[in-house]
Amino acid sequence: MAQSPQKRLATSRSERGAGILVFFAGRGGTVCRNSRRRENRSSFRRRLRIDVTFYAYCDLSEVLVSFDLIEGAQMFIPYLKDTVYMDLSKEKGATVAARVDGQTVVYTMFATIEYALAGVQVKAGDVDGEVTLYREDRVVRVVFDRPVDLSRIDVTFLLGASGTLVDPQSNPVTMDLTEPARFTVASERAGETVYTIEAEIDMGFVV
């Protein structure tokens, strides 16, 4: 049966044949699309490693993970649950395990997000702006701590390994940020993402 284009399966298989199929979705059924899985085998304590990469924002502390086991296998960690929310944000990873043919096969899962936009650098002349990137809202907020001309702001877009700049086509570019402006980045897996960039002057006191 053809799978939904919004659910990418990631598979792993132990040396004894305990297979786990994994797909990921955010809370509320929103699918964290375009994930991939890489498996590295290790003989130490019979552990297998699964690396998952997401290409769009999702909350790694609450990832819905579904396991589809081969015939005869059952989940051991989490116990007898084949669909569960997991915290994949920790550096040490998350442990899952399945039992098959009397053996327990242990997997350590790690997750990262590979963004098309890695960051933004902003300058007004020789004054650097303080940049905050709100990925979930797709907003870049820039604050200057002294008076600058917001109509001529030099913006440099830092792109991820798979990222490209769609609009504007120049990088760096001088932008008018007297009003919020938009820019678009893209990656092969996540497609295009539109961000809003806005700037203000905040000298830390009120006149």
Side-chain angles (χ1 to χ4, degrees):
M1 178 181 299
Q3 59 181 293
S4 164
Q6 292 189 333
K7 292 182 179 179
R8 292 293 186 90
L9 295 178
T11 64
S12 61
R13 185 173 298 276
S14 79
E15 55 195 70
R16 285 298 299 265
I20 297 181
L21 300 179
V22 188
F23 67 84
F24 303 85
R27 180 171 292 279
T30 301
V31 175
C32 296
R33 295 172 298 170
N34 301 319
S35 64
R36 72 182 179 192
R37 189 272 320 157
R38 183 176 67 254
E39 174 186 327
N40 296 318
R41 299 190 178 201
S42 173
S43 59
F44 181 71
R45 294 187 179 180
R46 304 185 61 77
R47 281 182 176 266
L48 301 176
R49 173 177 173 131
I50 302 173
D51 291 291
V52 181
T53 303
F54 295 101
Y55 296 89
Y57 174 83
C58 56
D59 185 356
L60 294 183
S61 67
E62 287 187 307
V63 177
L64 181 62
V65 183
S66 293
F67 305 96
D68 184 9
L69 306 178
I70 65 171
E71 185 177 354
Q74 67 177 21
M75 290 304 300
F76 185 66
I77 302 174
Y79 186 63
L80 298 182
K81 292 183 178 181
D82 58 7
T83 299
V84 64
Y85 281 100
M86 299 185 66
D87 184 354
L88 301 182
S89 64
K90 299 177 181 178
E91 291 186 6
K92 65 180 181 180
T95 299
V96 298
R99 289 189 61 85
V100 64
D101 296 334
Q103 289 198 347
T104 301
V105 183
V106 181
Y107 299 80
T108 303
M109 297 176 59
F110 299 87
T112 58
I113 304 176
E114 184 179 301
Y115 293 106
L117 180 70
V120 180
Q121 295 178 341
V122 177
K123 293 178 69 74
D126 59 354
V127 180
D128 292 320
E130 180 181 338
V131 177
T132 304
L133 178 55
Y134 300 95
R135 294 196 181 275
E136 186 173 7
D137 298 324
R138 299 177 179 178
V139 171
V140 179
R141 185 168 182 264
V142 183
V143 178
F144 292 96
D145 61 3
R146 67 194 73 178
V148 297
D149 183 2
L150 293 181
S151 68
R152 293 188 59 81
I153 302 298
D154 296 323
V155 181
T156 301
F157 303 101
L158 307 177
L159 302 175
S162 61
T164 58
L165 183 63
V166 177
D167 183 40
Q169 297 181 346
S170 298
N171 189 24
V173 64
T174 300
M175 300 182 69
D176 182 353
L177 297 184
T178 54
E179 298 289 340
R182 292 185 175 185
F183 65 92
T184 304
V185 296
S187 70
E188 181 179 353
R189 289 178 178 268
E192 294 188 357
T193 302
V194 179
Y195 286 86
T196 298
I197 181 170
E198 53 190 34
E200 67 173 339
I201 299 171
D202 185 354
M203 296 184 289
F205 59 88
V206 178
V207 178

